[in-house]
Amino acid sequence: NMRRSIILLALAPLTMGFAPSFAPGAVRPQVAVSQAPTFAPLRTQRPAVVPLQMGKGIDFPELDAKGLRIGIVTTRWNSEVVGKLKDGARKTLLELGIEEEDIVEFEVPGAWELPLASRYMAMTQKVDAIVPIGVLIKGDTDHYDMIKDATTAALMDLQLNTGLPILCGVLGCHTMAQAEERATGDTNHGVWWAKTAVEMATLRNFQLGKTGKKKSVGFGIFDEVEKVGSSAGDKKGFF
């Protein structure tokens, strides 16, 4: 027992350095503890937000609109911007060689009326293509989406059912500033729509055998329509 007591007394100073002390005013011994390295949270650097830049437009082949007859249907809704688009379209058509009297114009209250007015024009005015022009600005309700979707779908249906090129000249914008940007200067969509109308009218007339010489392809259904229409005298219709 004496030997055991001597060993315990010898080890006492060593063990006291690791034992917690609860005596008042006692200083806890400092023990080195290894710590895992810390890393700063990974953050993704976001690029600065810049406004969306539109393209420079569409490239067109050399166009000749002489002898063509093009219709333009415009709305009084958002007439200030619509007027700029129409002016761009008219100026372009004249520059391409269309006579003033061969530009046919209708005016309607709003975009909802564009498809029906375009149909009337296709039926009665012997035009080679139609450019409906309207501007819709998104508001707080779903009315914008209802008008935009129905109008553009109806114009496409009318184009396919008649075989007459009918452009989608309806701007659907979130702000008036967006509409203004697309109706002025080098980004005036009216200019592009007019050129597209001339290009598609030329394509249609060529495929129907109205211009130049071409070999007959397909089933010849359009040729038969043309013959029937020609024998009826002064025809009024889609072709």
Side-chain angles (χ1 to χ4, degrees), residues 85-129:
L85 293 166
K86 183 182 77 169
D87 291 344
R90 280 184 53 86
K91 180 181 178 182
T92 301
L93 292 175
L94 293 173
E95 290 175 350
L96 293 177
I98 289 185
E99 300 293 335
E100 181 78 33
E101 58 268 21
D102 287 328
I103 300 177
V104 184
E105 294 187 34
F106 284 3
E107 184 181 86
V108 294
W112 184 262
E113 290 74 38
L114 285 174
L116 186 57
S118 297
R119 182 174 179 84
Y120 292 155
M121 180 176 284
M123 294 172 63
T124 63
Q125 297 300 317
K126 299 181 183 178
V127 291
D128 296 292

Side-chain angles (χ1 to χ4, degrees), residues 2-227:
M2 181 65 67
R3 178 188 246 179
R4 182 177 179 184
S5 299
I6 293 172
I7 294 174
L8 292 175
L9 289 173
L11 294 175
L14 296 177
T15 58
M16 290 299 293
F18 296 95
S21 175
F22 300 98
V27 178
R28 186 185 301 271
Q30 300 298 319
V31 180
V33 179
S34 62
Q35 297 182 352
T38 58
F39 297 93
L42 182 62
R43 296 181 180 179
T44 302
Q45 186 69 25
R46 293 187 178 183
V49 178
V50 296
L52 178 64
Q53 297 296 323
M54 292 191 301
K56 294 299 182 182
I58 308 171
D59 292 329
F60 290 92
E62 185 176 350
L63 300 171
D64 183 3
K66 293 177 182 177
L68 293 179
R69 184 172 168 85
I70 304 295
I72 299 177
V73 186
T74 57
T75 68
R76 291 190 298 275
W77 186 260
N78 290 324
S79 59
E80 183 177 349
V81 180
V82 170
K84 295 177 181 179
L85 293 166
K86 183 182 77 169
D87 291 344
R90 280 184 53 86
K91 180 181 178 182
T92 301
L93 292 175
L94 293 173
E95 290 175 350
L96 293 177
I98 289 185
E99 300 293 335
E100 181 78 33
E101 58 268 21
D102 287 328
I103 300 177
V104 184
E105 294 187 34
F106 284 3
E107 184 181 86
V108 294
W112 184 262
E113 290 74 38
L114 285 174
L116 186 57
S118 297
R119 182 174 179 84
Y120 292 155
M121 180 176 284
M123 294 172 63
T124 63
Q125 297 300 317
K126 299 181 183 178
V127 291
D128 296 292
I130 300 175
V131 183
I133 300 177
V135 174
L136 295 171
I137 307 298
K138 186 173 180 62
D140 296 330
T141 68
D142 293 334
H143 190 68
Y144 161 87
D145 297 296
M146 294 163 54
I147 300 295
K148 173 178 60 68
D149 295 344
T151 299
T152 53
L155 290 174
M156 175 58 79
D157 288 343
L158 181 61
Q159 174 179 234
L160 296 177
N161 290 333
T162 62
L164 189 71
I166 298 177
L167 280 292
C168 182
V170 179
L171 287 183
C173 302
H174 289 189
T175 65
M176 185 60 73
Q178 290 179 348
E180 287 282 356
E181 186 178 5
R182 288 156 177 78
T184 55
D186 294 335
T187 55
N188 188 323
H189 286 37
V191 174
W192 304 343
W193 296 334
K195 291 182 178 180
T196 301
V198 171
E199 182 175 350
M200 293 303 296
T202 302
L203 174 63
R204 171 183 177 273
N205 290 345
F206 181 77
Q207 292 302 316
L208 295 182
K210 289 187 173 184
T211 57
K213 296 181 180 180
K214 72 178 186 69
K215 294 182 179 180
S216 177
V217 295
F219 298 101
I221 183 172
F222 292 115
D223 292 335
E224 294 300 322
V225 172
E226 288 295 324
K227 291 177 183 177

